[in-house]
């Protein structure tokens, strides 16, 4: 099967990461006082997701050129 | 007081994007679904890291996420025994000893292995009981999800049932097992990345691990246990009365570890099916081992939040978790409560989506296992053998639709008659408990006969039922909870009773199978059992592989790490 699962994973988490990062930058700081101990977790975790997503995308793009898995044994 | 979560637009957006991806993956995979083996077995073409994460994720349903957090709150760190004594050793055993037979025999399902190894009736018994169980489990998942959405978001129960059923239906119809597996991997990352910030924030709020241990002392002492009971996994296991699980080390290691966990991880087609879809024998054997690595760290993600929640509950004058009707905390609300408290809108969408995803993959896993067993082991074997492959592919799609419709029925049954569900789960317990004895004997003792396996299995189920009829846990009234014959064995709670029931069932099955096998003639020759029994099967050649791909090396590393974790949290 030549469909690389890392591609959709990468796209989806990059998208989530971007959404959260932007939202973290523009959102009212009050929601963080209320919930996450005053930490802007949307911004921080948005960046984490973005890094993860881009990493997966890179793997998918690099891996796309590799030959397929070895043929089944026996 | 009821918990409410207020989802903002951004949270809904994340939820919708996620389900968009889920459907899209099914859509992309549609063109690969050419024959029945693509649909049911993913054409045996999936790389090990994908099957490994799916193997883990297929079990990561609602029961795992909500249930393990609930147990973490109820029993403390002893809940980790489900992982570090139960799951991990069983997964290593599956990888090293059992996968060669499942994958190498070219059986398309666990029941089919039983047919190759034993006979038709043993397969039939396993296939039919498994098929019934999967649709009920799927229905229970659906019901739990709808109930949760109703409580948290005030969503309409029927609406939730329909939406979850339609999403699962669409992506399995489109992409079959591959679709389920790929989405399980997606869900794995959702769960890890969605819950990690929750755990980090909660742990930071309570003041770190040592502060948590400190705050768990009153939780233990107020229930009459020694101070460290909730933060030390082994030190309070000398007697059942010493710990909230109500079980001592022997019952735990044998009942939970050996019988129940090996029975589940090594024989349940729901998880084994993921490994069978791998693209080579080596990948199939690595599947459970790749799963074991994140699995051994999962207590930090699912049990730790429960421990934090109960510590906060006691520290805050018992007002952190919502209280049930009887005044005890509603443990099942642990994860939702933490989500609502610690995640602001935005990240809440990710956490909440992870939770919903786990319910749905629980359903999808059951449905894909059901459609395979139905089509190959029941339909093709007993109802319509000898049809074209296209016909069986069509039947698989029909079975998916049928399975989901029956699941919906079960969900409504669960919402109206709680005790029917309790009864069913009890019966499933009887059916599952002896299974591992049959497989163990079948795979390692070539003298085991078809009659021995079949009657031993039935006898084991009977043994479980009989034990249940004689055992009762403190505070329960005789009836569905046990002792419907006579209260003969007494336990501190249901868990201890369950573990010993499993031991009784396993032992009955083990002894009966040996006795009947010795009394009956072998129905398979050595030649027929090649590839199905350990002593008659050439060992898979792994010497040419790098060390990090060799199952035995990986297995030893995994076990050593597990032992270390047990010692660290002794």
């Amino acid at each position: 099967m030549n469909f690389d699962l890392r591609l959709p994973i990468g796209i989806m988490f990059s998208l989530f990461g971007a959404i959260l990062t932007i939202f973290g930058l523009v959102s009212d700081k009050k929601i963080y006082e209320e919930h996450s101990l005053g930490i802007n977790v949307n911004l921080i975790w948005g960046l984490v997701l973005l890094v993860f997503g881009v990493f997966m995308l890179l793997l998918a793009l690099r891996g796309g050129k590799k030959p397929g898995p070895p043929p089944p044994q026996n | 007081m009821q918990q409410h979560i207020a989802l903002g637009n951004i949270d809904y957006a994340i939820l919708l994007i996620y389900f968009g991806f889920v459907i899209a993956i099914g859509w992309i995979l549609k063109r690969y679904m050419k024959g029945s083996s693509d649909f049911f077995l993913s054409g045996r073409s999936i790389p090990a890291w994908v099957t490994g994460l799916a193997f883990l994720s297929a079990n990561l349903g609602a029961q795992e996420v909500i249930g393990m957090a609930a147990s973490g709150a109820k029993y403390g760190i002893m809940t980790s025994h489900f992982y570090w004594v139960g799951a991990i050793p069983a997964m290593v055993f599956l990888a090293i000893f059992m996968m060669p037979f499942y994958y190498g025999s070219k059986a398309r399902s666990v029941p089919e292995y039983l047919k190759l190894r034993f006979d038709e009736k043993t397969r039939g018994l396993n296939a039919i009981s498994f098929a019934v169980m999967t649709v009920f489990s799927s229905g229970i998942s659906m019901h739990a999800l709808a109930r949760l959405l109703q409580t948290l978001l005030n969503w309409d129960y029927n609406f939730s049932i329909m939406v979850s059923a339609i999403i699962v239906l669409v992506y399995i119809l489109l992409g079959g097992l591959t679709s389920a597996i790929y989405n399980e991997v997606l869900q794995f990352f959702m769960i890890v990345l969605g819950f990690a910030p929750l755990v980090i924030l909660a742990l930071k709020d309570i003041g770190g691990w040592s502060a948590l241990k400190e705050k768990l002392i009153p939780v233990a002492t107020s229930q009459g246990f020694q101070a460290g009971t909730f933060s030390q996994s082994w030190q309070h296991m000398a007697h059942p009365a010493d710990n909230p699980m109500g079980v001592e080390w022997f019952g735990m290691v044998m009942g939970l570890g050996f019988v129940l966990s090996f029975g589940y991880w090594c024989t349940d087609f729901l998880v084994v099916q993921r490994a069978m879809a791998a693209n080579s024998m080596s990948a199939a054997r690595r599947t459970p081992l790749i799963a074991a690595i994140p699995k051994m760290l999962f207590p930090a993600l699912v049990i730790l939040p429960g421990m934090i929640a109960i510590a906060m509950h006691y520290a805050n004058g018992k007002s952190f978790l919502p209280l049930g009707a009887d005044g005890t905390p509603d443990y099942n609300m642990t994860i939702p409560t933490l989500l609502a408290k610690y995640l602001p809108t935005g990240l809440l969408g990710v956490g909440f989506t992870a939770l919903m995803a786990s319910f749905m993959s629980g359903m999808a896993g059951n449905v894909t296992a059901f459609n395979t067993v139905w089509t190959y082991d029941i339909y093709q074997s007993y109802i319509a053998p000898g049809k074209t492959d296209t016909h069986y592919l069509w039947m698989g799609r029909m079975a998916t639709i049928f399975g989901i419709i029956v699941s919906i029925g079960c969900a409504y049954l669960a919402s109206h008659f709680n005790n029917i569900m309790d009864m069913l789960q009890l019966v499933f317990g009887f059916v599952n408990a002896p299974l591992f004895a049959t497989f163990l004997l079948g795979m390692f003792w070539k003298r085991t006969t078809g009659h021995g396996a079949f009657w031993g299995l039935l006898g084991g189920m009977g043994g479980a039922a009989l034990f249940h009829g004689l055992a009762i846990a403190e505070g329960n009234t005789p009836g569905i909870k046990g002792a419907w014959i006579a209260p003969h064995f007494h336990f501190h709670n249901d868990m201890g009773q369950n573990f010993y029931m499993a031991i009784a069932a396993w032992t009955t099955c083990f002894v009966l199978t040996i006795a009947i096998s010795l009394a009956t003639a072998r129905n398979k020759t050595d030649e027929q059992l090649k590839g199905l029994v350990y002593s008659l099967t050439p060992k898979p050649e792994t010497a040419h592989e790098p060390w990090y791909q060799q199952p035995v090396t990986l297995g030893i590393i995994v076990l050593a790490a597990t032992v270390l974790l047990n010692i660290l949290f002794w």
Side-chain angles (χ1 to χ4, degrees), chain B residues 343-371:
Chain B
L343 297 189
T345 187
L347 202 51
L348 180 63
V350 178
F352 189 77
T353 304
L355 190 63
M356 266 189 87
S358 86
F359 279 91
M360 283 199 199
S361 84
M363 288 165 53
N366 278 299
V367 171
T368 47
F370 168 79
N371 64 24

Side-chain angles (χ1 to χ4, degrees), chain A residues 3 5 8-9 11 22 27 39 41 44 46 48 55 65 67 71 74:
Chain A
F3 168 54
L5 181 55
I9 294 176
I11 298 172
I22 294 168
S27 53
I39 306 165
V41 282
I44 297 172
V48 172
F55 177 69
K65 292 179 187 70
N74 59 67

Side-chain angles (χ1 to χ4, degrees), chain B residues 34-200:
Chain B
K34 299 221 168 66
S36 74
S37 84
D38 298 319
F39 190 77
F40 297 117
L41 306 166
S42 301
R44 293 197 164 195
S45 63
I46 303 199
W49 74 272
V50 174
T51 50
L53 295 182
F55 184 92
L56 177 59
S57 221
N59 163 259
L60 204 60
Q63 175 205 1
E64 186 83 356
V65 175
I66 301 269
M68 283 294 150
S71 297
K74 213 167 162 182
Y75 309 121
I77 201 169
M78 283 178 66
T79 311
S80 66
H81 293 319
F82 280 90
Y83 292 74
W84 299 338
V85 174
I88 306 283
M91 287 157 87
V92 172
F93 186 83
L94 171 68
I96 293 179
F97 295 105
M98 294 178 70
M99 234 26 246
F101 308 122
Y102 283 140
Y103 197 87
S105 69
K106 297 266 183 265
R108 298 169 299 180
S109 66
V110 167
E112 192 163 79
Y113 170 81
L114 289 177
K115 160 157 167 50
L116 296 173
R117 172 62 187 88
F118 297 116
D119 54 14
E120 197 58 66
K121 59 179 180 300
T122 313
R123 180 244 285 265
L125 178 64
N126 184 247
I128 291 166
S129 59
F130 182 78
V132 173
M133 268 188 276
T134 47
V135 284
F136 274 100
S137 308
S138 163
I140 289 171
S141 242
M142 208 186 278
H143 165 69
L145 174 64
R147 193 36 68 78
L148 190 75
L149 293 177
Q150 194 178 32
T151 316
L152 295 177
L153 301 175
N154 239 340
W155 283 13
D156 181 56
Y157 182 86
N158 303 313
F159 173 78
S160 305
I161 294 266
M162 286 309 148
V163 168
S164 54
I166 288 170
I167 291 175
V168 170
L169 180 72
V170 168
Y171 79 75
I172 296 179
L173 275 185
L174 287 170
L177 177 65
T178 317
S179 201
I181 286 181
Y182 280 16
N183 280 309
E184 279 155 7
V185 176
L186 208 60
Q187 180 229 335
F188 167 82
F189 288 113
M190 267 323 274
I191 294 261
V192 173
L193 294 168
F195 282 12
L198 178 75
V199 178
I200 297 168

Side-chain angles (χ1 to χ4, degrees), chain B residues 453-537:
Chain B
F454 180 78
W455 294 109
L457 206 49
L458 271 188
M461 295 173 192
L466 184 67
F467 184 88
H468 185 77
L470 295 171
I472 187 92
E474 256 168 42
N476 287 341
T477 44
I480 190 161
K481 297 268 191 185
W484 38 268
I485 302 171
H488 209 76
F489 308 110
H490 294 268
F491 292 93
H492 284 271
N493 64 25
D494 299 345
M495 199 167 278
Q497 183 185 348
N498 245 333
F499 292 171
Y500 274 93
M501 182 187 89
I503 295 172
W506 188 91
T507 313
T508 315
C509 178
F510 191 74
V511 172
L512 270 183
T513 306
I514 292 177
I516 298 169
S517 290
L518 289 174
T520 50
R522 283 182 65 180
N523 60 331
K524 301 263 179 182
T525 62
D526 277 7
E527 192 49 41
Q528 286 172 314
L529 292 182
K530 216 173 148 207
L532 301 168
V533 175
Y534 191 76
S535 60
L536 302 172
T537 306

